[in-house]
Amino acid sequence: MEMKLTIKRVPTVVSNYQDDADKPRAGCGRNCLGDCCLPASKLPLYAFKLDPAKHLQEDAASTKLLVDILLSEWEDRMARGLFRYDVTACETKVIPGNLGFVAQLNEGRHLKKRPTEFRVDRVLQPFDPAKFNFTKVGQEEVLFQFENGDGDDSYFLNDAPIIAVDRAPNVVAINVSPIEYGHVLLIPRVLDRLPQKIDPESFLLALQMAAEAASPYFRLGYNSLGAFATINHLHFQAYYLSVPFPVEKAATHKIPLSEDTMKNGVTVSKLINYPVRGLVFEGGNTLEDLANVVSNACIWLQDNNVPYNVLISDCGKRIFLFPPEKQALGEVSQELLDTQVNPAVWEISGHIVLKRRSDYEEAYETSAWKLLAEVSLSEERFEEVKAYIFSAAGLVQSDEEEEEASKGEGTTTFAPVPVTPLPVAEGCLVRQ
């Protein structure tokens, strides 16, 4: 089916660069992340350990490094006035109900958010250097480089040269239109100017960041073009929210796999009784095993023009994959369009940013469910896409699955995220 929906092209919103005249630097004079400035610059460096998953077996005191540094640097940028609004002043509440949808009222975000500048009917589009991209932001928006330290311990340097000599650096920068406290962007190989397109290396980097954070309340998300990504430059989003996302509490049905398929330790389930249909990938003998399976699934989706969203949860051990292509096809209702809610990865996962006070005050579980269900695939289309994803990821369902399906049986589990105190600042807590 040929998709025709497009978004009107609008002028690019410039970066929040603030000229620092008394600290001249080489390059274009803007102290940006482009080839003119970055290679000769020094930035803070967070070097993560060779195996970030080791954090998960350590005591809480040893897992605070990334959490403390990221939030401290983020608050520093907030004090310097680099954000477009104070997200910590936004009203937030947990909606009563079985899943506990989280609603936030952010009446200014749709006015101050960077606009979309590309067609939404193509998941893969060439990188366009003339449009806004992350090489154009000022270096003061960057919190640190994020690189593998190739050792058994993580460390942080306040001032370090661009150390990746064989490739462009990975950087973590603030999102100037934040959804929540600590909202940042992970930008792999920033100088390579990669379009918004998943590849195994970048996806593994995102899992490594989740594992390094070692907190169930630090999640990373990814939106493809056509699924509410707004910048065609490869990036993941991340922030802290100290309550479980509703999708993390949803029931799942485990899909039996053949013995050969399960050698890498990855298991796959599908969400049950959740408004948006999706798959859940877990486990893996290594982070790389899990990254390879999920990235192969994403590659099939983007190569076949199917928009998708990804949530990286549980310290990189659980990954939710949603293919809600209805929104790119223009098949959502006018009622949803009127709310001005963009159901991207955070909204689909159950953290819903509302733009109108009336919607916030009248938010109930039934209304949240109805809103998200608008973008879900039908059961028939979901099963069709699932079959293609399995083929691309090298997954083979066992005969047991077919027998269970014919009997209407199967293994359904609930996997709530435990709520325990976090070693982070008060500002990331839900405000009611």
Side-chain angles (χ1 to χ4, degrees):
M1 178 178 181
E2 181 68 19
M3 293 185 287
K4 300 295 186 182
L5 183 64
T6 62
I7 288 181
K8 182 181 178 181
R9 297 178 182 274
V10 295
T12 297
V13 177
V14 298
S15 173
N16 288 336
Y17 180 70
Q18 297 176 346
D19 190 23
D20 195 351
D22 60 349
K23 292 184 179 179
R25 289 176 170 83
C28 66
R30 293 184 57 254
N31 199 23
C32 70
L33 294 184
D35 294 298
C36 53
C37 297
L38 187 58
S41 302
K42 288 188 176 182
L43 291 172
L45 168 67
Y46 188 100
F48 59 88
K49 60 177 60 177
L50 185 62
D51 183 6
K54 286 183 179 179
H55 273 322
L56 305 180
Q57 284 79 46
E58 298 174 354
D59 60 85
S62 65
T63 65
K64 291 181 60 178
L65 184 61
L66 181 59
V67 172
D68 286 349
I69 290 171
L70 188 148
L71 294 182
S72 175
E73 294 292 317
W74 191 90
E75 287 188 343
D76 171 77
R77 303 316 190 271
M78 182 168 64
R80 290 159 62 179
L82 299 185
F83 295 101
R84 299 187 178 184
Y85 48 79
D86 181 6
V87 72
T88 65
C90 294
E91 297 178 55
T92 302
K93 64 183 179 181
V94 177
I95 301 173
N98 293 327
L99 290 175
F101 289 103
V102 181
Q104 180 196 100
L105 176 62
N106 195 329
E107 295 174 287
R109 192 170 198 269
H110 71 291
L111 299 175
K112 299 179 181 180
K113 183 172 176 287
R114 206 183 301 278
T116 300
E117 297 188 284
F118 46 78
R119 297 174 60 182
V120 299
D121 61 351
R122 290 289 179 268
V123 174
L124 295 183
Q125 299 178 40
F127 182 90
D128 187 346
K131 298 189 183 305
F132 179 83
N133 63 78
F134 297 116
T135 68
K136 298 183 179 183
V137 308
Q139 290 183 22
E140 75 278 8
E141 294 181 17
V142 176
L143 303 187
F144 44 77
Q145 304 172 64
F146 187 71
E147 304 291 348
N148 194 330
D150 293 324
D152 292 332
D153 296 303
S154 305
Y155 62 88
F156 180 75
L157 300 176
N158 283 310
D159 194 26
I162 306 302
I163 64 170
V165 295
D166 58 337
R167 59 171 177 76
N170 311 308
V171 297
V172 175
I174 60 172
N175 184 331
V176 299
S177 299
I179 286 177
E180 191 41 82
Y181 181 79
H183 194 168
V184 297
L185 305 170
L186 171 64
I187 309 164
R189 296 151 46 199
V190 61
L191 287 177
D192 287 349
R193 295 170 173 80
L194 303 171
Q196 187 71 342
K197 174 183 178 181
I198 288 289
D199 62 78
E201 179 185 352
S202 63
F203 198 78
L204 176 60
L205 182 72
L207 294 194
Q208 289 169 325
M209 188 175 192
E212 181 72 23
S215 166
Y217 302 108
F218 181 80
R219 293 87 164 184
L220 285 92
Y222 176 89
N223 301 310
S224 77
L225 302 189
F228 290 106
T230 56
I231 298 172
N232 187 23
H233 189 173
L234 180 59
H235 66 287
F236 297 82
Q237 301 184 51
Y239 61 74
Y240 287 89
L241 187 70
S242 58
V243 295
F245 274 26
V247 74
E248 294 171 328
K249 300 189 292 182
T252 58
H253 173 96
K254 189 173 182 179
I255 302 173
L257 302 174
S258 67
E259 290 186 10
D260 287 342
T261 299
M262 296 186 67
K263 287 180 179 178
N264 59 15
V266 176
T267 64
V268 187
S269 306
K270 60 182 178 181
L271 290 168
I272 301 296
N273 201 29
Y274 191 75
V276 184
R277 293 181 175 87
L279 294 173
V280 186
F281 299 82
E282 301 179 77
N285 298 327
T286 65
L287 280 180
E288 190 170 2
D289 287 331
L290 184 58
N292 286 339
V293 170
V294 181
S295 61
N296 284 337
C298 295
I299 288 168
W300 183 89
L301 291 169
Q302 59 200 19
D303 286 349
N304 288 275
N305 207 36
V306 178
Y308 63 94
N309 308 94
V310 178
L311 177 72
I312 300 172
S313 174
D314 196 14
C315 307
K317 294 184 293 184
R318 298 181 78 202
I319 302 171
F320 298 83
L321 176 61
F322 307 96
E325 64 182 345
K326 286 176 65 177
Q327 53 209 32
L329 292 169
E331 296 176 355
V332 298
S333 70
Q334 186 61 44
E335 183 179 1
L336 172 58
L337 297 175
D338 288 344
T339 67
Q340 303 177 62
V341 172
N342 296 331
V345 60
W346 306 120
E347 286 78 10
I348 288 175
S349 300
H351 186 196
I352 304 172
V353 180
L354 298 169
K355 315 297 175 58
R356 303 184 301 190
R357 176 164 290 278
S358 59
D359 293 328
Y360 179 78
E361 293 177 346
E362 299 169 7
Y364 298 97
E365 184 167 79
T366 52
S367 60
W369 186 289
K370 182 179 179 181
L371 184 150
L372 295 182
E374 273 291 319
V375 303
S376 180
L377 295 183
S378 67
E379 181 66 29
E380 180 181 7
R381 175 58 175 160
F382 175 75
E383 290 298 325
E384 178 186 357
V385 171
K386 178 171 75 77
Y388 286 123
I389 286 175
F390 269 49
S391 177
L395 302 171
V396 178
Q397 293 183 207
S398 70
D399 295 336
E400 180 184 349
E401 167 70 8
E402 295 181 5
E403 293 174 3
E404 289 176 348
S406 64
K407 297 177 182 177
E409 300 174 351
T411 302
T412 300
T413 60
F414 294 86
V417 175
V419 179
T420 54
L422 273 180
V424 295
E426 189 74 16
C428 72
L429 302 179
V430 171
R431 300 167 297 282
Q432 300 189 67

